[in-house]
Amino acid sequence: MTRQTPSLSYVSGTSDLPLKGQTIGDCFDDTVARFPDRDALISRHQGLRYTWRELQSSVNQAARGLLAMGVRKGDRVGIWSPNCAEWTITQFATAKIGAILVNINPSYRSHELEYALNQSGTSTLILQGAFKTSDYVAILAELAPELNEIQDAAPLKLARLPELKRVICLDTTRALPGMNVWDKMLERGHEVSAEELASLQDTLQFDDPINIQYTSGTTGAPKGATLSHHNILNNGLFVGRTMNLSEQDRMVIPVPLYHCFGMVMGNLGCVTHGTCMIYPGDGFDPEATLLSVCEEKATALYGVPTMFIAELEHPSFDTFDLSTLRTGIMAGSICPIEVMRKVIERMHMKDVTICYGMTETSPVSLQTTTEAALEKRVTTVGTIHPHLEVKLISPETGAVVPRGQTGELCTRGYSVMVGYWNNREATDKAIDGSGWMHTGDLATMDDEGYVSIVGRIKDMIIRGGENIYPREIEDFLYTHEAISDVQVIGVPDQKYGEEVMAWVKLVEGSYLTEDELKDFCQGRIAHYKIPRYIKFVEAFPMTVTGKIQKFKMRQQASQELGL
């Protein structure tokens, strides 16, 4: 009698295209050489347009300016700004000199900014003057009041930000006395020759770390996922290839550049294929996005489901000619089938794809192809990417589970991060001895290798595509003197998928209202992390061993709030 072995939940991706063994700067220069006069970057809200040759000139000038100011290979350069041409110029300029770009979320407030700058050891910060409700200059001045008095702009000596040596403001009118301005930094590029830049670029290796992106941590403080040229350049290459991108394509990127979606899947997806990058605005606006597609004759569009919903529901939707659209990516959360159907039919995106990944894996591990059936695009996150492996394991035993059974999704290959910056313990927890990145997501795999995400081992909240880890908010709320204990959970929300709720236990004899607690958060943590719902309690549901049962809290809250 023969023993039937069930097919296991393991896949490995093959490809006729090898991985690129080069740095981002070298790949960028290759693309310029191939398509010098084609459109490379259009930043519509700034009125800026660059061909590949013009973009290269700006990138090289910025790279030489940073060198003239004292930035060296391995130094951390922070960028704190919404989408703009300077963001992208900084991305490629730092890559050419081997400085490590630190992406700072434009929603960060003082508490988060201070942590990110100090934990990464950022020595240079490039910042916008202000955006929406964020006054970046004022927030930085709160942490570094010395910037108001210092006349000689470098190197800085700041009490609360001891590693920060120079600040470059993109807004000339807002810069404080202790800040440099972007245009002056560019002027200083003339102090460094093109030959010096080229010879430095030649010394860089594709395995060098080039980017730090902060992901909220379950253990409280955010962790800096450190990514190499090899990680993100190749991920951009294969994301773009799965969409069949070429130099004929024009991509509208309304998603934030500080996130892998914009910076890797967007910018590097374009650069590796000669595709034009188009930014409709500094932040997402449905009308600006639709207008960009229409007027720039875009062929590709990115977004999280809530963005596509906002575009489809725009009162003037029918007046925009979107007939040039072909492909794009919807990612960040599961897409409702009706939304996907409308995107394909009404927005002409017949080749739209779905992606799954995480910052720590550069980010994409799974993606639907342009030929995938509609059902697969709305019920799964696709199939394995080239040169990567995925397995689903039992959280209890670590054994690979049979197809169709639920297990923790683990991924291995070129895309797995270098590690968490200055955090060996967290790195060792995330990446095992065999090189597998443990995602903490629970998934199933069907017989065709399509993967569906079914839940999360950890209690991460996904609000409109933003990953929020309850522990980080809990640690912050604990700093309020009236709070004795706090537990944060995600509750269902029609618009954002999930919203943040805090259950708060007060110190005996203390008094605190919902509004007072929200005011305490305002300006100190990002707006999307501020609890939408607050419930004051005497105790939390617990197991007999004293573990808090967040699933019971979610059930109770959903019933009470009628969600």
Side-chain angles (χ1 to χ4, degrees):
M1 181 178 149
T2 55
R3 184 169 158 269
Q4 288 290 319
T5 308
S7 181
L8 294 174
S9 299
Y10 166 82
V11 281
S12 68
T14 58
S15 178
D16 58 351
L17 183 69
L19 292 167
K20 276 187 183 292
Q22 65 179 165
T23 63
I24 290 169
D26 289 349
C27 176
F28 176 82
D29 289 343
D30 283 355
T31 299
V32 173
R34 287 166 61 209
F35 313 113
D37 300 315
R38 291 193 74 90
D39 285 345
L41 173 63
I42 297 166
S43 182
R44 286 173 56 93
H45 58 294
Q46 295 175 286
L48 296 172
R49 306 176 81 89
Y50 302 82
T51 62
W52 285 106
R53 189 189 278 120
E54 289 164 347
L55 184 60
Q56 182 186 49
S57 173
S58 293
V59 165
N60 288 348
Q61 190 67 20
R64 288 157 61 188
L66 289 170
L67 288 173
M69 291 180 77
V71 177
R72 294 293 173 259
K73 178 186 172 180
D75 285 359
R76 272 75 70 207
V77 175
I79 179 138
W80 192 28
S81 162
N83 292 7
C84 60
E86 292 86 351
W87 206 109
T88 299
I89 289 165
T90 301
Q91 178 185 351
F92 292 105
T94 50
K96 275 177 166 264
I97 63 175
I100 299 172
L101 186 70
V102 180
N103 299 12
I104 298 170
N105 188 327
S107 297
Y108 270 7
R109 295 296 196 258
S110 57
H111 178 77
E112 298 143 318
L113 177 68
E114 181 176 15
Y115 177 83
L117 293 177
N118 286 336
Q119 202 278 333
S120 62
T122 290
S123 61
T124 302
L125 176 64
I126 298 171
L127 81 164
Q128 187 52 271
F131 171 61
K132 290 186 177 172
T133 58
S134 297
D135 186 333
Y136 298 134
V137 169
I139 294 169
L140 184 62
E142 185 189 320
L143 295 174
E146 302 97 322
L147 290 168
N148 287 299
E149 291 112 46
I150 304 169
Q151 289 302 322
D152 180 15
L156 299 168
K157 288 187 176 64
L158 308 172
R160 286 176 69 177
L161 304 170
E163 300 289 327
L164 192 61
K165 299 293 177 252
R166 56 195 78 81
V167 176
I168 301 163
C169 190
L170 297 176
D171 184 346
T172 314
T173 62
R174 299 290 315 284
L176 299 177
M179 294 178 177
N180 294 278
V181 292
W182 176 261
D183 291 344
K184 286 271 167 58
M185 181 273 287
L186 293 180
E187 273 173 37
R188 289 201 59 185
H190 298 298
E191 297 169 28
V192 175
S193 71
E195 291 72 30
E196 282 175 81
L197 173 59
S199 62
L200 171 59
Q201 194 174 323
D202 285 344
T203 68
L204 306 181
Q205 298 297 306
F206 60 72
D207 283 328
D208 292 340
I210 202 63
N211 183 219
I212 296 173
Q213 300 203 26
Y214 279 91
T215 67
S216 299
T218 49
T219 51
K223 301 189 288 281
T226 307
L227 305 167
S228 67
H229 295 265
H230 197 64
N231 287 149
I232 57 179
L233 182 68
N234 281 295
N235 206 256
L237 171 69
F238 284 102
V239 164
R241 195 182 197 222
T242 307
M243 292 188 288
N244 301 317
L245 289 185
S246 76
E247 73 279 7
Q248 305 293 330
D249 282 297
R250 299 166 70 78
M251 182 189 290
V252 171
I253 306 173
V255 294
L257 294 174
Y258 80 86
H259 197 274
C260 271
F261 200 169
M263 181 193 142
V264 180
M265 297 153 72
N267 287 355
L268 292 176
C270 288
V271 165
T272 48
H273 295 87
T275 300
C276 176
M277 303 168 270
I278 302 165
Y279 307 150
D282 44 12
F284 174 66
D285 176 81
E287 186 167 325
T289 303
L290 291 165
L291 204 57
S292 298
V293 171
C294 177
E295 293 184 350
E296 301 295 345
K297 299 192 168 18
T299 58
L301 172 62
Y302 280 5
V304 298
T306 49
M307 290 180 176
F308 284 103
I309 291 166
E311 288 151 19
L312 287 160
E313 290 178 352
H314 191 279
S316 307
F317 178 84
D318 291 327
T319 64
F320 298 100
D321 178 5
L322 311 179
S323 60
T324 53
L325 277 179
R326 169 183 69 80
T327 188
I329 291 175
M330 199 182 301
S333 59
I334 293 293
C335 173
I337 190 158
E338 280 312 307
V339 176
M340 178 61 86
R341 202 170 264 137
K342 285 176 184 166
V343 165
I344 292 169
E345 289 168 10
R346 299 187 62 203
M347 298 181 82
H348 308 280
M349 291 172 65
K350 64 180 175 61
D351 295 343
V352 66
T353 71
I354 298 289
C355 291
Y356 165 83
M358 60 194 302
T359 307
E360 291 89 337
T361 55
S362 303
V364 177
S365 305
L366 298 146
Q367 187 174 358
T368 56
T369 63
T370 55
E371 298 87 40
L374 177 66
E375 186 218 349
K376 296 293 188 189
R377 294 190 231 189
V378 293
T379 59
T380 80
V381 289
T383 51
I384 189 71
H385 243 229
H387 305 289
L388 296 178
E389 300 171 273
V390 157
K391 67 175 179 177
L392 307 184
I393 62 167
S394 161
E396 290 78 33
T397 67
V400 180
V401 300
R403 298 264 172 132
Q405 285 190 20
T406 298
E408 183 190 7
L409 194 154
C410 301
T411 185
R412 180 166 71 176
Y414 77 83
S415 70
V416 174
M417 66 176 177
V418 177
Y420 291 118
W421 185 262
N422 264 349
N423 196 337
R424 169 52 53 196
E425 188 189 349
T427 303
D428 291 343
K429 271 188 191 165
I431 304 169
D432 68 24
S434 300
W436 288 99
M437 175 78 208
H438 290 248
T439 67
D441 283 327
L442 294 167
T444 59
M445 185 184 292
D446 70 15
D447 289 335
E448 294 174 81
Y450 281 91
V451 173
S452 300
I453 305 298
V454 295
R456 297 185 292 284
I457 294 172
K458 304 180 185 105
D459 293 305
M460 184 174 78
I461 301 162
I462 302 182
R463 180 191 180 276
E466 288 283 1
N467 289 359
I468 303 170
Y469 288 83
R471 182 67 185 271
E472 189 188 352
I473 304 174
E474 289 162 1
D475 283 358
F476 172 72
L477 293 176
Y478 275 126
T479 64
H480 195 294
E481 58 189 15
I483 292 177
S484 142
D485 201 353
V486 61
Q487 295 293 325
V488 169
I489 56 171
V491 293
D493 182 78
Q494 253 186 322
K495 184 176 181 185
Y496 293 109
E498 283 185 290
E499 268 289 4
V500 179
M501 181 180 196
W503 286 36
V504 178
K505 189 179 172 189
L506 295 176
V507 173
E508 209 169 323
S510 293
Y511 178 77
L512 187 64
T513 66
E514 277 187 43
D515 287 343
E516 284 168 347
L517 186 50
K518 287 179 181 178
D519 286 346
F520 174 73
C521 298
Q522 209 70 45
R524 298 182 69 194
I525 59 172
H527 67 89
Y528 61 84
K529 295 179 190 170
I530 298 173
R532 165 91 184 272
Y533 305 104
I534 294 164
K535 177 181 167 81
F536 293 98
V537 296
E538 294 296 319
F540 305 101
M542 287 194 180
T543 64
V544 285
T545 56
K547 286 186 178 165
I548 288 165
Q549 295 175 300
K550 285 195 170 181
F551 72 94
K552 285 197 172 169
M553 292 167 59
R554 272 191 289 272
Q555 286 169 355
Q556 196 182 319
S558 298
Q559 282 172 347
E560 288 173 2
L561 296 165
L563 302 171

